[in-house]
Amino acid sequence: MDPAETFATLMSPEGRLDPYPAYERLRAHGPVVQTGPGVYAVTGYPEVDELLRDPRMRVSDDQWRDMMLPQWRDSPALSTIARSMLETNPPDHSRMRRLAAGAFTPRRIAAMRDVVAAQADELIEAMASAGRGGRPVDFMADFAYPLPVAVICALLGVPAADRPLFRRWAADLTGVLEPEITWDELVVADAGATELVGYFTELVAARRRRPADDLTTALVQAHDAGDRLTGDELLANLVVLLVAGFETTTNLLGNGLAVLLAHPAAADVLRRHPEHAPAYVDELLRYDSPVQLTSRTSSETLRAGGVELPAGSWVLLLLGAANRDPRRYPDPARFDPWRALLSPLSFGAGPHYCLGAGLARLEGQVAFTRLLHRLPALALSGTPRRRSRLTLRGYETLPVTVG
Ligand code: HEM
């Protein structure tokens, strides 16, 4: 199968459910391959890492969006969200990122451990009681979604009563992160984006009337203080912080639990030695990455992995494939928390390196150790169902019994 055909397989429903065979077929052609006119896919760890750090590689700008998805301008909400730090290049990117970064320093994250643990314990007790007598519960709905939503809502100052609103809206919006998107998916994404922008427009107004000790208020004040953040940028970054804060972490918890349940001996070691949680979480991130890819365009001609990328190329950086590069990770399809070298690329690299990486790791470490400790008989029950998404890889449902 040539790279173009393999790429098409990756985009197909089967590829979305299990992309790993297609990654290996692409890798057989080299760490960087052309998969179409002006389109390249990168599967190698050092190549993905290097390209993400290269200032000549830029995140999608308006010109790129006009070319790939001209209808985006018809959606005021999607056009607003496109102003977030995630989709902006320096110097605007650095200005916006600096404003939010204060909430994510290692000290601030460490101080959230008790909030995360209390929330995890509450959800575990609720699952234990709902699952009494061997009744199956859905780990995604009952734990993997509500935990990260509660944490990011606490940080942003979003009222607890509003948390259930976001699951559908975020799932709809994040369709735009797929490398190929249909008209119908765009309409759905527009609906989710419209709800989210509307929600934060109201929250911003509320915090302006009555400031609170939260990240929303801090960003509203940065906007109101002068020229540090435009109105669209304010809304865009609030939406992205909320959505990036849970869509991904939900998938770390779901993908990670499924792997632990499939490896009971390794899970048992973690149950007895919670101090190994950081290595376990990093290996879970590597083994089945919650974010499988991101993309960049080359602003000038450059070389990577022995291949020339002409200026204007669209380059897919396959994080999930780089995390299984056998040149860096021997026997990469094996789950092994004792690997000497971890540092998976699941949080990206370079200027857009995930702002919430420390928080996500903390949530994973706290969640898995407490789940294994409190629910030692946790087991799969029935067949889990994957979401049909390549970029944000996770489960729709993950039925378990709690013993
Ligand atoms: C950026 C992954 C959790 C906020 C990113 C990027 C990746 C990523 C790969 C870079 C995208 C790119 O370079 O194009 C993940 C994963 C998570 C996670 C796998 C969970 C396991 C979080 C959390 C937050 C967060 C909890 C909290 C708010 C952000 C933000 C950016 C980002 C704001 C944009 C940073 C920038 O553009 O400078 N994330 N993320 N993420 N993430 Fe996360």
Side-chain angles (χ1 to χ4, degrees), residues 52 59 84-88 93 97 100 104 148 152 155 215 237 240-253 285 289-291 293-296 319 345-361 363:
L52 282 172
V59 296
S84 84
M85 68 179 105
L86 189 61
E87 295 180 72
T88 308
H93 168 261
R97 184 168 167 121
F104 295 93
I152 192 66
L155 219 137
L215 183 52
N237 283 297
V240 162
L241 284 163
L242 175 85
V243 173
F246 76 85
E247 274 280 293
T248 49
T249 315
T250 294
N251 293 338
L252 163 63
L253 298 177
L285 284 161
S289 188
V291 178
L293 65 95
T294 183
S295 66
R296 297 287 188 269
L319 309 172
L345 284 170
S346 315
F347 294 119
H352 292 274
Y353 179 78
C354 177
L355 191 58
L359 181 58
R361 284 190 163 111
E363 291 183 49

Side-chain angles (χ1 to χ4, degrees), residues 263-344:
H263 297 82
D268 203 44
V269 174
L270 178 58
R271 180 180 298 113
R272 286 183 287 111
H273 295 282
E275 69 276 16
H276 296 311
Y280 269 73
V281 167
D282 273 25
E283 173 66 351
L284 292 169
L285 284 161
R286 181 198 72 80
Y287 184 80
D288 200 13
S289 188
V291 178
Q292 289 282 318
L293 65 95
T294 183
S295 66
R296 297 287 188 269
T297 46
S298 47
S299 61
E300 47 188 275
T301 299
L302 53 109
R303 286 187 78 76
V307 172
E308 186 176 275
L309 305 175
S313 301
W314 186 45
V315 184
L316 280 171
L317 300 148
L318 299 170
L319 309 172
N323 282 344
R324 290 192 177 203
D325 183 344
R327 292 174 299 168
R328 180 175 173 99
Y329 300 111
D331 198 2
R334 191 162 59 89
F335 174 67
D336 175 9
W338 309 110
R339 291 178 185 279
L341 257 188
L342 267 168
S343 304

